[in-house]
Amino acid sequence: MRATLSMSLFCSRAQHARRLARLTSVHQMQTASLHTTDVSAPSSEVLTRYSEMVSKDILSNNDAQIEVCHNLDTMLHELRESTHKSGDLLNPGLFASLLGQQPAPNPHPVKSCYIWGSVGSGKTMLMDMFYEACHSSKKHRTHFHEFMLGVHDRIHKQKAIKSGDPIPDIARSLMQEHSILCFDEFQVTDVADAVIIKRLFEQMFNRGLVMVATSNRKPDDLYKGGLQRPLFLPFIPLIKARANIVQLDSEEDYRLGGKLTPLEKNHYLTPVNPKTYSILNELFIEHTTHLSAAEPRDINIMNRTLHVPKCTGGVCWFSFDELCNSPRSAADYLELVRNFHTFFVSGIPQMTLQHKEAARRFITLIDCLYDHGARLACTAEVAPKDLFISERTKGMLDEERMLMDDLKLGDADHSTASIFTGEDETFAWSRTASRLAEMQSSEYWQLAEERGALAFNGWNS
């Protein structure tokens, strides 16, 4: 019981501290401190932070978490030794990249860390402890999906001005900007990511990449059942060679432990009917009463127009169909969270495998909202854990047959490829349900209030 309470409290506090620090630039590091640190002494900053939480009875000892702390402290120590010897350059590969040369593999690279395990086990919490303890101007924390969107944008721009393989130039520019990357939710679900990821990360590792990544999947299961997976498979031995693979599991999702404080007014309304719609509309009025009248707005995203049906200040209203039953991508959702801090979404249905495209978009939407601390009020047909059912109520859909014909796939692929089986959506749903539950807590909304007050990234009050 104490473990459940302790982790619940710590998760919310850790997220609170991490996100506010990112907003107020607390994470801007004083690089001079690196040169006054005794680099010969092994680092224990992550474990010390963890132990302080245990001593304050905020967190309970967990052997698996302590193992991750040791791995992350080893990385910090090796980073400091490397930086002490060469300034901001982590290895000769990065030096070569600055000169525009093809780097040779570093024979003694700083080993990265890939932390995988069940939802709510503390993976992100520990990665954020590492991020806060890492005093380097070259560090960067991001959601992996957001990172890969940026990569594809760079590829598109590079191809417009230069022929040939864009990956080496992109890897070089990425490493010149940030050579220490912390990836939350490392997962591969898109064939466009799968076909480039090995070449991209091999170039980045050779140029000095040090990475901490969290994932719900072990490396062997990444892109499992994905189209053209043989093109992805060489990435698995690469990540195993360049990173310590650490498993972190928990028998309980601490977000669902019942210890977070519910909102005074319910903002997740069930089922979908005129009554709940009316209540949602009253909540919208309540949250916007101090703002100008809500009106439609068009947002330009990469030469496309995204229509917002109703918004004012940092508050917007969409129907589920407008957000998830139309051709939307993570780029759309990321642009929305740059403009709005509170989302009202009406009419979320219960989804089956027949609705996996909408389910996939909804999963991506929630990931974007959660990772950026945006608030959600909605009407939904059922509770979060029951919104997606991994069963098929009909046979092969017409659009699935058309896709199979386009990709020249056989009937056997329909029962094995994750794009048809819904395996990715099923696997990701536990994370989505967990996040939806936390997003209805007072702790989460308070964090969003503080974030909105800072008018971060174009947000309005």
Side-chain angles (χ1 to χ4, degrees):
M1 177 65 72
R2 188 169 77 92
T4 301
L5 173 60
S6 300
M7 180 61 82
S8 298
L9 290 172
F10 183 75
C11 282
S12 61
R13 292 179 188 181
Q15 291 160 355
H16 180 94
R18 186 250 301 174
R19 289 173 181 159
L20 284 181
R22 289 166 63 193
L23 297 178
T24 56
S25 301
V26 171
H27 288 326
Q28 294 179 349
M29 294 294 107
Q30 303 89 9
T31 55
S33 66
L34 292 173
H35 304 288
T36 60
T37 302
D38 181 7
V39 297
S40 63
S43 171
S44 61
E45 288 190 45
V46 178
L47 184 59
T48 298
R49 291 166 187 249
Y50 181 89
S51 299
E52 287 174 354
M53 295 299 171
V54 173
S55 68
K56 294 175 182 178
D57 209 28
I58 298 172
L59 184 65
S60 294
N61 264 323
N62 179 294
D63 290 342
Q65 291 175 346
I66 291 172
E67 180 185 352
V68 175
C69 290
H70 286 307
N71 274 275
L72 297 176
D73 278 329
T74 297
M75 287 181 63
L76 283 174
H77 175 61
E78 292 176 353
L79 279 168
R80 285 173 178 160
E81 285 189 319
S82 178
T83 307
H84 182 73
K85 294 175 183 177
S86 55
D88 271 340
L89 304 180
L90 292 178
N91 62 37
L94 184 55
F95 182 68
S97 73
L98 292 171
L99 297 178
Q101 300 172 353
Q102 182 71 15
N106 183 3
H108 304 292
V110 176
K111 197 103 172 186
S112 295
C113 188
Y114 181 99
I115 310 166
W116 71 279
S118 57
V119 170
S121 58
K123 302 182 295 295
T124 300
M125 170 190 77
L126 296 174
M127 181 183 74
D128 288 338
M129 285 185 180
F130 168 87
Y131 187 86
E132 292 170 10
C134 179
H135 304 300
S136 172
S137 61
K138 304 289 290 185
K139 69 177 183 177
H140 180 59
R141 185 197 186 282
T142 184
H143 193 280
F144 185 70
H145 199 143
E146 190 169 349
F147 172 78
M148 291 306 297
L149 280 172
V151 168
H152 287 293
D153 183 55
R154 290 176 189 241
I155 290 175
H156 176 73
K157 292 177 180 176
Q158 183 80 3
K159 286 183 175 180
I161 60 175
K162 183 179 179 181
S163 60
D165 183 7
I167 296 299
D169 286 345
I170 289 170
R172 179 170 60 250
S173 65
L174 286 168
M175 289 300 93
Q176 288 172 358
E177 295 165 13
H178 307 289
S179 54
I180 304 171
L181 291 175
C182 292
F183 292 121
D184 198 21
E185 300 297 343
F186 195 106
Q187 57 181 334
V188 182
T189 58
D190 192 299
V191 65
D193 294 344
V195 298
I196 67 168
I197 194 169
K198 191 264 184 182
R199 289 188 298 123
L200 175 66
F201 273 81
E202 186 170 49
Q203 293 273 342
M204 290 166 63
F205 278 128
N206 289 345
R207 286 178 163 86
L209 171 64
V210 177
M211 175 189 80
V212 178
T214 70
S215 180
N216 296 133
R217 289 187 183 270
K218 61 183 179 182
D220 287 327
D221 287 347
L222 287 171
Y223 200 51
K224 186 177 181 181
L227 294 175
Q228 300 180 4
R229 192 170 189 251
L231 295 175
F232 170 82
L233 290 177
F235 175 73
I236 296 175
L238 173 68
I239 197 70
K240 287 182 175 180
R242 295 295 192 131
N244 290 315
I245 312 300
V246 185
Q247 183 176 3
L248 182 56
D249 274 324
S250 173
E251 294 180 358
E252 184 175 14
D253 178 353
Y254 295 102
R255 294 191 192 104
L256 302 180
K259 302 302 179 182
L260 293 174
T261 309
L263 288 168
E264 183 177 344
K265 291 185 178 180
N266 185 17
H267 283 60
Y268 186 100
L269 305 164
T270 59
V272 175
N273 60 29
K275 180 180 179 180
T276 55
Y277 184 93
S278 177
I279 296 173
L280 188 68
N281 191 56
E282 290 173 5
L283 289 170
F284 182 84
I285 294 172
E286 179 180 321
H287 282 283
T288 60
T289 186
H290 62 295
L291 301 172
S292 58
E295 58 185 18
R297 176 181 166 189
D298 288 336
I299 298 176
N300 187 282
I301 303 175
M302 296 185 295
N303 298 319
R304 294 182 294 106
T305 298
L306 194 160
H307 181 69
V308 183
K310 183 167 65 172
C311 66
T312 178
V315 184
C316 63
W317 180 301
F318 288 91
S319 70
F320 175 86
D321 286 345
E322 289 162 334
L323 279 177
C324 301
N325 264 331
S326 54
R328 300 292 178 209
S329 69
D332 297 316
Y333 304 140
L334 288 169
E335 187 61 31
L336 286 174
V337 297
R338 293 185 184 109
N339 285 271
F340 304 106
H341 55 66
T342 303
F343 287 69
F344 283 75
V345 180
S346 60
I348 303 173
Q350 187 175 48
M351 293 163 274
T352 68
L353 288 180
Q354 267 62 48
H355 314 99
K356 62 180 179 295
E357 290 296 329
R360 184 181 300 125
R361 294 187 188 107
F362 185 71
I363 290 168
T364 303
L365 171 66
I366 297 305
D367 281 345
C368 290
L369 298 185
Y370 182 87
D371 199 53
H372 290 78
R375 303 182 297 188
L376 174 68
C378 64
T379 62
E381 196 61 53
V382 291
K385 65 182 179 63
D386 299 320
L387 273 177
F388 182 69
I389 303 174
S390 57
E391 62 183 34
R392 185 176 289 272
T393 57
K394 299 179 181 178
M396 188 183 303
L397 303 177
D398 291 341
E399 54 266 33
E400 291 177 336
R401 171 55 68 188
M402 292 172 61
L403 179 59
M404 291 176 65
D405 291 342
D406 290 342
L407 297 174
K408 296 180 172 55
L409 300 175
D411 288 347
D413 294 305
H414 188 263
S415 60
T416 58
S418 60
I419 193 172
F420 301 120
T421 64
E423 179 181 350
D424 288 332
E425 291 77 21
T426 302
F427 188 86
W429 193 259
S430 59
R431 179 181 77 246
T432 302
S434 173
R435 289 181 166 184
L436 281 170
E438 183 184 345
M439 290 168 77
Q440 294 304 307
S441 68
S442 292
E443 291 85 351
Y444 183 92
W445 276 63
Q446 178 60 35
L447 173 61
E449 287 281 1
E450 293 168 353
R451 178 175 187 146
L454 290 170
F456 173 72
N457 214 8
W459 281 14
N460 299 308
S461 62

